[in-house]
Every structure is written in C-alpha cells, then in structure tokens.
Amino acid sequence: MSQHPKPLIAGNWKMNGMRANLSELGIMGAHFTPELRKITDLMICPPFPVLGLAAEMARGTGIHIGAQDCHEKYSGAHTGDVSANMIFDAGATAVIVGHSERRIDHKERDTTIASKAQAAMDVGLQAIVCIGETKTERDAGRAISVVRRQLKASVPAQADPQKLVIAYEPVWAIGTSLTPTNADILEVHAAIRADLKRVFGKTAGSEVRILYGGSVKPNNAREILALDHVNGALVGGASLKAADFMAIATALA
Ligand code: PGA
C-alpha cells in the first residue's frame, strides 16, 4: 500500500454496540498513539443510539466517528430515519452509504445511495460509498463490470472528491471469512482508481481513498493493506474488540 493518500481503518459495528461496549472505543483511543496517528486514520461507526456518546468519548483521541446510513433529505416526515445534518450535529465526521446490507435489507438503489452521499457531503461529512459484487456475479466473470457500474451510479455527479471514500466490499466476503485473492483485490482497486481519475482528474482522483472490506482480520490485514490502491479497510466483525481492531491498525506500522 502506498502511504498516500493516508490510510483509513474504519470499523463498522453494524447493529452491535450498547453503551457498555463503548469501553472498547476507550481502549482503542488509549492505544492510538501519536506514532500510529501519523501512519493511519481510525474511525468507528457505531449504531445511532450511541453515536453522540461515542463522538464525545472519542474527542481528543484522534479517532473519528461515523454513522452507518443517512437519509437523503435533511428533515421532514420520514419516521425512523436520520439525516446527514443530525449525524454531523451529533459530532460524527462521516457516514457509510450503500452498504450491501442496506442494499439487500432495505432494497436501496444506486440513485438513492448517490443522493445520500451528496446529502452527507453537503453538510461536510465524508461519504463512504460501498460497492461490491455478489458471488454469482464474480463467478460469471462480471465483478469488474458490476463494481464499475455501481461506482458510476452510486457516486453523485457533483461529488466532492475530498469528501469521498470508496469501500470495495465483495458481498460474498462479508462476514464469511472468505476473501478474494490479492490479485483479485488489486484488479478491482486498480479499476476503481482508473475510473476515479477519469471522473475527477489525475490528482484529485488519486487522492480518494479506496478501502477494502470483507473479512479483514488481524491475520490477513498486513497482506491486504500492502496492495497497491488499497488505502485502508472497512472492518466489520473484527472492529468490535479493541484488541482485534488495533491489531489491524498496527499491521500498517
Ligand atoms: P466483516 O464486515 O469484516 O465482518 O466481513 C465488513 C463490512 O460489512 O463492512
């Protein structure tokens, strides 16, 4: 992995995390040393009920707090939804949009995801846009074309590249302990990078972080993070415990 752009290791807690679990965030903060801060950015994306509390706990530790989804509008009659400006107001600096679990569970489409990403950027949040193929698509040799199509449709037309992060997460690798080969990860990330450069220009397109996600663990982090065009990781299961998450972060050192 090149050290530029600065890597980001982001933890997606999904629907896990009570107030008591924030003690793990405290431990992560205590181990996020000034030396490590120079090497990587760290982020935890907890569920909404503890978002504000997590942001308060993380203050001064250097750990960023992100949300896992947002609505594309800022207010109104949308029972149960949370807007990007509410997330910003709670002290978060980022939001994940288009995670495959949202695409599947809530039937989210690329156009909605692009609107969510734009809403996030408009209030000053980083938008972590998730894309990735299913097993059937990979087996059919369509991984690259699917990912490129999702990238084109899920990144808003007016996107600010400085507020954009792409997470390549093969659906079949999430929570399964399966990962693509290094060559496959490299191939997809290189294709994403080429498209980002085409859209945003060479310089801005090279600055957008492309994270890999899907069964990143302490034992495979080093080799995955060493790949070209891999600028960090989006980590699910292994982000719940400080020991695992910090082992992934220190794999960069
Ligand atoms: P996993 O999840 O690390 O548990 O596979 C990754 C994700 O869904 O972001």
Side-chain angles (χ1 to χ4, degrees):
M1 179 180 64
S2 65
Q3 294 306 306
H4 196 83
K6 192 177 186 187
L8 167 66
I9 309 294
N12 173 11
W13 279 9
K14 310 191 179 185
M15 201 169 71
N16 302 289
M18 307 289 208
R19 283 186 295 171
N21 301 99
L22 293 178
S23 58
E24 294 297 322
L25 179 63
I27 301 169
M28 291 170 190
H31 288 85
F32 194 30
T33 60
E35 295 72 42
L36 199 51
R37 289 190 206 186
K38 279 189 207 135
I39 297 170
T40 187
D41 288 339
L42 279 193
M43 182 185 294
I44 288 293
C45 303
F48 283 131
V50 296
L51 191 70
L53 206 51
E56 271 165 40
M57 271 189 72
R59 198 173 298 145
T61 66
I63 298 181
H64 290 273
I65 298 298
Q68 300 171 16
D69 179 49
C70 69
H71 195 272
E72 65 258 49
K73 300 226 170 69
Y74 293 131
S75 61
H78 302 286
T79 302
D81 278 314
V82 175
S83 69
N85 47 334
M86 290 171 180
I87 290 166
F88 184 82
D89 186 55
T93 57
V95 58
I96 299 168
V97 293
H99 190 282
S100 63
E101 287 151 16
R102 301 281 324 168
R103 290 178 187 261
I104 295 164
D105 295 355
H106 299 273
K107 304 196 172 37
E108 288 190 10
R109 325 243 346 192
D110 289 323
T111 46
T112 309
I113 292 159
S115 301
K116 290 181 175 202
Q118 188 64 55
M121 291 174 179
D122 286 347
V123 298
L125 294 172
Q126 296 268 318
I128 303 175
V129 179
C130 300
I131 52 179
E133 83 284 0
T134 63
K135 186 82 177 85
T136 314
E137 289 163 342
R138 174 153 288 275
D139 290 346
R142 292 173 45 223
I144 297 283
S145 63
V146 167
V147 165
R148 291 188 66 204
R149 176 178 47 72
Q150 288 182 344
L151 182 71
K152 190 163 188 269
S154 305
V155 171
Q158 306 301 322
D160 175 352
Q162 295 190 339
K163 297 205 183 81
L164 179 65
V165 177
I166 302 296
Y168 167 54
E169 299 206 302
V171 179
W172 54 274
I174 294 175
T176 57
S177 296
L178 301 172
T179 50
T181 63
N182 289 343
D184 287 341
I185 295 175
L186 183 59
E187 187 188 23
V188 175
H189 279 239
I192 294 171
R193 176 67 69 212
D195 282 353
L196 290 171
K197 284 187 187 170
R198 259 191 291 277
V199 173
F200 298 113
K202 198 160 177 282
T203 309
S206 305
E207 296 286 324
V208 177
R209 292 187 279 202
I210 310 172
L211 313 183
Y212 168 78
S215 297
V216 176
K217 307 285 176 201
N219 63 5
N220 62 16
R222 190 180 295 271
E223 58 174 305
I224 293 173
L225 293 170
L227 297 169
D228 262 355
H229 304 303
V230 174
N231 312 115
L234 184 54
V235 184
S239 70
L240 295 170
K241 291 278 171 232
D244 290 338
F245 191 61
M246 296 314 288
I248 292 169
T250 50
L252 289 159

